[in-house]
Amino acid sequence: MEAIEAAMRAPEYSDLQRHDAPRAEEAQLLLCHPQDYVDRIRKAIPAAGIYQLDADTHVSNGSFDAALRAAGGACHAVDLVMDGQAANAFVAMRPPGHHAERATPMGFCLFGTIAIAARHAMERHSLSRVAVVDFDVHHGNGTQDLLWDEERAFFVSSHQMPLWPGTGRREERGAHGQVMNVPLAPGTDGAKFRRIYEDTVLPQLDRFAPELVLISAGFDAHRDDPLAELALVEEDFAWVTGELCDIAARHSAGRVVSCLEGGYDLDALSASVAAHIRVLMEKGA
Ligand SMILES: [Zn+2]
């Protein structure tokens, strides 16, 4: 958050609307998670120190509130964009969300933020075609789990394979064929990444004609990221952002809500987020 905030202090970002993320209402969490799971996470929060939900997913006293604000911020961003108060939006949030499954926290994630935002868009704004595009280097297994049987969503995840969490094979297509997994070989660079998006992902998204485009924007496919072996750079994230904005311009009056997922080299993260937001601003102007 500090690395991103620092990048956002540059003069070119001074005109951005900024909103504090409200806490999600419990009903919003329940769009994707059962009540006993929400209660279990709440009860696991320690009064002090750190509690480990699993090998990767640790919580402190502030974690439940932070996760509520991540989900609430994503829903609020959907409201702002759907109500025309913003052309598009980026939700800078920690913890991320795309690994949390229906009743299992995973990979730093407690609640499925982007899937909650998708369901919120369907329920509150009566949308029936919401695209969720996940270019984080890891498979969005949680989003896939939460939207597996959701006919109103088209979920695309591109990710390095093999890599944790191990899911995201091409054959995983969702209950209605509305899930698209795009495994990428280690070492995939920007040129190859762009070609794969141009040949497969973008035409499918165009065919789906989304009323809203949601992005699980992880920046850990950057070549400097320590957690994976893809070789994207800032310009590649800017390119894919522009392409997704163009799809939104054709089908959904430009409506895009992007939520931060991974990104573990702080210099690469802040530069990539800055490039991502620069394109959102240009396309939303
Ligand atoms: Zn990731």
Side-chain angles (χ1 to χ4, degrees), residues 108-228:
F108 321 142
C109 303
L110 303 181
F111 301 120
T113 301
I114 199 100
I116 290 169
R119 281 257 165 77
H120 173 75
M122 296 165 191
E123 301 303 329
R124 178 73 60 88
H125 301 281
S126 306
L127 299 190
S128 54
R129 291 191 317 281
V130 178
V132 181
V133 183
D134 185 331
F135 58 67
D136 187 281
V137 81
H138 302 95
H139 179 230
N141 63 292
T143 309
Q144 172 170 298
D145 180 53
L146 296 169
L147 299 179
W148 185 259
D149 195 18
E150 178 52 79
E151 283 184 275
R152 296 170 293 180
F154 180 55
F155 174 57
V156 185
S157 177
S158 62
H159 42 268
Q160 181 182 320
M161 184 167 268
L163 187 66
W164 187 94
T167 47
R169 288 172 303 114
R170 224 178 281 282
E171 296 72 29
E172 298 165 28
R173 294 299 319 274
H176 312 282
Q178 86 298 0
V179 168
M180 181 180 187
N181 280 301
V182 183
L184 304 170
T188 297
D189 64 6
K192 183 108 192 278
F193 175 86
R194 294 183 194 205
R195 206 153 56 237
I196 289 169
Y197 264 73
E198 279 174 343
D199 291 348
T200 60
V201 175
L202 301 174
Q204 289 286 343
L205 284 168
D206 253 329
R207 220 160 293 149
F208 180 67
E211 298 165 300
L212 173 68
V213 175
L214 302 182
I215 304 177
S216 260
F219 298 95
D220 42 10
H222 195 284
R223 69 177 172 202
D224 294 340
D225 196 276
L227 260 54

Side-chain angles (χ1 to χ4, degrees), residues 39-80:
D39 294 342
R40 178 154 67 87
I41 298 296
R42 189 187 284 115
K43 283 188 198 125
I45 299 299
I50 300 289
Y51 177 75
Q52 278 187 248
L53 293 165
D54 66 28
D56 302 313
T57 314
H58 303 185
V59 289
S60 73
N61 188 252
S63 297
F64 192 79
D65 193 61
L68 281 186
R69 287 185 183 276
C75 292
H76 186 53
V78 166
D79 291 341
L80 289 169

